[in-house]
C-alpha cells in the first residue's frame, strides 16, 4: 500500500479532471445524435431535468463516498458497507474494461480525421468516395494502430500519477478544449442556420418527443456525467477535505451540460446552414461527426481550413480526458486493493484493456467473426456489443446500487458531515434533506425505470 494517498495539487485540479472525464465523446458524438433523433426542444428540457434531479445528486453521492473513505471504489464500498457491497465497486472496475475497450477505438478516429483535415487544409479538399469510411472501418491494422496510440497516451498520463499526470493533463487539455469550443461557437453565430438551431434546441414541443426519449435522456445523463462506474468515487478520493463537494459537482454538471449544448449549436448550425443537408444527415451516430461534418467544413465554410483540424483536436482532447479517468479506476483498484505500485498497475491495467480494444478494433469489418456475431438484436460485432452492455446494463445497474447504498446504507450523519450540510447545532440542513430525498426515492425509481425499459427491449447505446 502506498504510504500516503495522492491528492490533487489544487482545487481546480479536481474540477478540471472531473469535468474532463465527463466531457467526452458522449457530449460531441452521442448527445448531438440522440437530440437530433428525439427532435430537439422537449428532449433537451427533459434531459436538463434528468441532469439536475438525478445526475447532480448521484454525482455528489459518488464523490462523498470517495472523499470520506479516501479510497477507490472497491475498498470504499467495503469500508462503509461490507465485502458484499465491495462487489459494486468491482462492477465499476469491470465496466471500465468494457468502456475503455471500445471508447479508445472511436477516440482513435479523431486522430485519423485530424490528420485528414490537416492534409486537406494544406493540399486542398478532395471529396472522399462514399465507401471511404466503410473501408477505413474495416482496415484492421489502421484501427489497431489508432486505438493503441490513444490507449498508450492514456496510460502514459495515468502512469505519472494524480497531480503530476492526470491533473497536469487536465490543466493543459481542458483550457485548450474550451478555447477551441468558444472559437467554434463564435464562428457559427454568423452562419444563416443559427436561428433554426435555436428554434430546434430551445422551443419545446412535447408532442414531438418520443415516449422512450425520457428514458434515453436519463440513460445518457449517466454516461455523459461518468456516473455508475466509480470514476467520481476515485476522483473524489483525491479531493482535500476543505473543498465543497456540492460546489465541485455542481460545476462539473454545469460544464458538461453547457458543452453538450454548445456541441449541438456548432454541429446543427453548420448542418442547417447548407440547404438539403438536414434531411440527409445519416441515421448512424458516426455519420454526423466523422462523415457529414468534415465535408461541410471544407465545402461550405469560409475558414474551414482552420475549423476542420481544430474540431478534431477538440474531439481528441475531450476523449483523452475521459479515457484517463476510466483507466484510473482500474489502476487505482490494483494499487489500493492489491498493493501494486502505480507503474505496475498501469502496465497490467492497460494490457488487460488492450485485449478488449484489440477485439473491438477488429470488429468493424476487419475480422468476420468479430464483426458478425450478434448477442443483442441489431448490435453486431464486439464494439457495438460492448457499447450496448455498458450503456444499457452496467452503468444503470452500477448507478442504482450506488444510490441505494448511499441513500439507505451509509448513515445520514456521515453523509451530511461529508457534504458539509450540518447546521451549527449539528442537525442536517434543508439542502441535505432535499438531496437525501432525491437519492433515496427519485434517483432509484428513475434508474429502475430505465433498467425495466431495457429489459423490455429499449436500447440506449
Ligand atoms: N463521460 C464520458 C463521455 O461523455 O464521453 C464517457 C465516460 C467516461 C463514461 C468515464 C463513463 C466513465 F466512467
Amino acid at each position: 500500500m502506498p504510504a500516503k494517498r495522492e491528492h490533487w495539487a489544487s482545487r481546480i485540479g479536481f474540477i478540471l479532471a472531473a469535468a474532463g472525464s465527463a466531457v467526452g465523446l458522449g457530449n460531441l458524438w452521442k448527445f448531438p445524435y440522440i437530440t437530433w433523433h428525439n427532435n430537439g426542444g422537449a428532449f433537451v428540457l427533459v434531459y436538463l431535468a434528468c441532469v439536475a434531479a438525478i445526475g447532480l445528486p448521484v454525482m455528489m453521492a459518488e464523490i462523498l463516498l470517495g472523499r470520506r473513505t479516501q479510497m477507490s471504489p472497491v475498498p470504499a464500498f467495503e469500508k462503509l458497507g461490507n465485502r458484499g457491497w465491495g462487489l459494486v465497486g468491482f462492477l465499476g472496475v469491470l465496466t471500465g474494461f468494457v468502456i475503455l475497450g471500445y471508447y479508445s477505438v472511436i477516440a482513435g478516429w479523431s486522430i485519423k480525421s485530424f490528420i485528414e483535415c490537416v492534409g486537406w487544409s494544406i493540399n486542398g479538399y478532395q471529396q472522399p468516395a462514399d465507401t471511404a469510411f466503410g473501408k477505413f472501418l474495416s482496415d484492421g491494422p489502421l484501427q489497431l494502430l489508432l486505438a493503441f496510440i490513444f490507449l498508450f497516451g492514456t496510460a502514459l498520463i495515468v502512469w505519472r500519477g494524480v497531480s503530476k499526470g492526470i491533473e497536469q493533463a487536465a490543466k493543459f487539455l481542458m483550457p485548450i478544449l474550451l478555447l477551441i469550443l468558444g472559437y467554434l461557437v463564435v464562428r457559427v453565430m454568423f452562419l444563416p442556420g443559427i436561428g433554426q438551431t435555436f428554434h430546434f434546441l430551445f422551443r419545446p414541443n412535447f408532442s414531438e418527443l418520443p415516449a422512450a426519449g425520457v428514458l434515453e435522456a436519463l440513460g445518457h445523463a449517466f454516461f455523459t456525467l461518468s456516473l455508475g462506474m466509480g470514476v467520481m468515487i476515485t476522483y473524489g478520493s483525491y479531493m482535500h477535505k476543505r473543498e465543497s463537494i456540492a460546489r465541485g459537482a455542481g460545476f462539473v454538471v454545469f460544464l458538461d451540460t453547457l458543452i453538450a449544448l454548445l456541441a449541438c449549436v456548432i454541429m446543427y448550425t453548420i448542418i442547417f446552414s447548407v440547404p438539403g443537408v438536414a434531411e440527409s444527415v445519416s441515421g448512424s451516430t458516426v455519420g454526423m461527426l466523422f462523415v457529414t461534418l468534415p465535408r461541410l467544413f471544407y465545402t461550405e465554410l469560409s475558414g474551414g481550413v482552420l475549423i476542420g483540424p481544430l474540431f478534431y483536436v477538440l474531439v481528441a482532447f475531450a476523449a483523452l480526458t475521459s479515457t484517463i479517468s476510466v483507466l484510473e479506476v482500474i489502476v487505482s483498484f490494483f494499487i489500493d486493493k492489491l498493493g501494486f505500485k502505480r507503474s505496475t498497475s498501469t502496465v497490467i491495467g492497460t494490457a488487460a484493456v488492450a485485449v478488449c480494444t484489440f477485439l473491438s478494433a477488429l470488429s468493424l469489418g476487419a475480422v468476420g467473426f468479430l464483426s458478425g456475431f450478434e448477442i443483442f438484436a441489431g448490435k453486431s460485432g464486439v464494439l457495438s456489443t460492448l457499447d450496448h452492455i455498458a450503456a444499457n446494463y452496467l452503468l444503470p445497474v452500477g448507478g442504482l446500487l450506488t444510490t441505494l447504498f448511499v441513500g439507505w446504507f451509509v448513515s445520514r450523519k456521515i453523509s451530511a458531515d461529508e457534504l458539509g450540510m450540518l447546521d451549527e447545532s449539528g442537525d442536517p440542513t434543508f439542502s441535505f434533506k432535499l438531496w437525501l430525498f432525491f437519492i433515496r426515492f427519485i434517483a432509484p425509481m428513475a434508474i429502475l425505470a430505465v433498467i425495466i425499459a431495457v429489459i423490455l427491449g429499449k436500447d440506449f447505446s
Side-chain angles (χ1 to χ4, degrees):
M1 290 259 172
K4 197 164 173 290
R5 188 155 197 81
E6 293 180 87
H7 281 99
W8 306 112
S10 58
R11 177 177 304 179
I12 197 78
F14 167 80
I15 297 209
L16 289 181
S21 171
V23 175
L25 295 171
N27 305 61
L28 303 172
W29 161 59
K30 272 193 173 175
F31 185 72
Y33 168 78
I34 57 176
T35 303
W36 185 267
H37 285 278
N38 282 291
N39 305 317
F43 177 81
V44 171
L45 213 59
V46 170
Y47 173 75
L48 292 179
C50 289
V51 160
I54 294 149
L56 179 63
V58 173
M59 186 177 290
M60 288 166 65
E62 286 203 12
I63 300 174
L64 100 75
L65 269 183
R67 222 256 309 255
R68 183 74 184 188
T69 55
Q70 296 283 298
M71 287 169 177
S72 55
V74 177
F77 275 101
E78 284 177 349
K79 186 169 176 193
L80 291 182
N82 51 40
R83 283 185 78 91
W85 279 110
L87 291 177
V88 181
F90 193 67
L91 181 72
V93 178
L94 287 182
T95 309
F97 286 110
V98 172
I99 291 187
L100 209 45
Y102 73 87
Y103 200 92
S104 47
V105 176
I106 302 172
W109 300 347
S110 62
I111 304 176
K112 179 252 183 193
S113 292
F114 171 73
I115 294 173
E116 201 165 58
C117 281
V118 171
W120 287 334
S121 295
I122 297 171
N123 302 321
Y125 178 69
Q126 278 166 354
Q127 170 103 30
D130 285 350
T131 51
F133 198 70
K135 267 206 190 124
F136 162 67
L137 292 182
S138 56
D139 183 343
L142 183 58
Q143 290 295 333
L144 283 175
L145 178 72
L146 294 172
F148 281 124
I149 291 177
F150 221 91
L151 195 56
F152 190 67
T154 305
L156 274 184
I157 294 168
V158 169
W159 170 298
R160 290 175 54 86
V162 176
S163 61
K164 289 209 194 78
I166 303 172
E167 181 169 354
Q168 287 297 335
K171 279 181 173 164
F172 173 73
L173 297 171
M174 289 304 282
I176 298 180
L177 183 149
L178 292 172
L179 275 177
I180 296 178
L181 196 80
Y183 166 73
L184 294 175
V185 171
V186 171
R187 180 66 187 79
V188 301
M189 286 293 159
F190 299 99
L191 293 178
I194 189 75
Q196 206 178 338
T197 296
F198 275 94
H199 193 276
F200 182 82
L201 280 175
F202 303 117
R203 281 266 184 90
N205 178 353
F206 279 89
S207 64
E208 287 178 359
L209 177 68
V214 179
L215 298 173
E216 191 161 8
L218 184 61
H220 182 68
F222 267 82
F223 183 84
T224 189
L225 293 174
S226 305
L227 299 174
M229 60 151 288
V231 164
M232 295 299 160
I233 302 179
T234 310
Y235 277 11
S237 74
Y238 305 133
M239 204 176 181
H240 286 288
K241 288 283 179 194
R242 57 178 186 268
E243 286 159 33
S244 158
I245 291 178
R247 207 178 306 139
F251 189 77
V252 172
V253 169
F254 170 77
L255 203 67
D256 185 79
T257 310
L258 181 71
I259 292 180
L261 289 172
L262 291 180
C264 289
V265 168
I266 295 168
M267 293 165 74
Y268 296 174
T269 305
I270 295 175
I271 288 170
F272 283 139
S273 297
V274 185
V277 173
E279 293 73 40
S280 65
V281 167
S282 91
S284 89
T285 29
V286 289
M288 197 188 278
L289 190 59
F290 292 103
V291 181
T292 312
L293 277 179
R295 177 168 59 81
L296 299 182
F297 287 152
Y298 286 90
T299 55
E300 307 291 340
L301 283 181
S302 65
V305 287
L306 188 62
I307 295 173
L310 277 183
F311 185 81
Y312 292 101
V313 172
L314 172 79
V315 178
F317 281 13
L320 183 59
T321 45
S322 298
T323 49
I324 289 170
S325 69
V326 185
L327 185 60
E328 179 61 16
V329 170
I330 297 170
V331 167
S332 69
F333 165 75
F334 287 122
I335 297 174
D336 286 357
K337 201 59 198 156
L338 305 179
F340 293 169
K341 283 198 304 211
R342 176 168 283 274
S343 48
T344 320
S345 306
T346 309
V347 173
I348 297 176
T350 309
V353 170
V355 177
C356 286
T357 306
F358 184 83
L359 299 175
S360 294
L362 297 179
S363 74
L364 301 161
V367 174
F369 76 94
L370 294 176
S371 316
F373 83 91
E374 205 169 287
I375 301 177
F376 304 102
K379 304 276 141 191
S380 50
V382 177
L383 189 143
S384 306
T385 306
L386 293 183
D387 184 27
H388 182 85
I389 293 176
N392 287 287
Y393 297 97
L394 297 174
L395 293 180
V397 169
L400 177 64
L401 293 171
T402 306
T403 16
L404 291 176
F405 179 68
V406 176
W408 297 96
F409 209 87
V410 174
S411 85
R412 289 161 54 111
K413 199 162 171 3
I414 288 184
S415 298
D417 177 47
E418 199 58 35
L419 292 174
M421 290 179 172
L422 292 168
D423 62 19
E424 292 94 63
S425 45
D427 294 324
T429 59
F430 174 73
S431 322
F432 178 77
K433 289 178 190 152
L434 193 65
W435 170 81
L436 194 62
F437 176 72
F438 277 90
I439 283 294
R440 283 194 158 176
F441 300 104
I442 307 289
M445 284 192 310
I447 303 168
L448 206 58
V450 171
I451 295 173
I452 291 173
V454 167
I455 293 171
L456 294 179
K458 175 80 190 99
D459 175 21
F460 296 115
S461 57

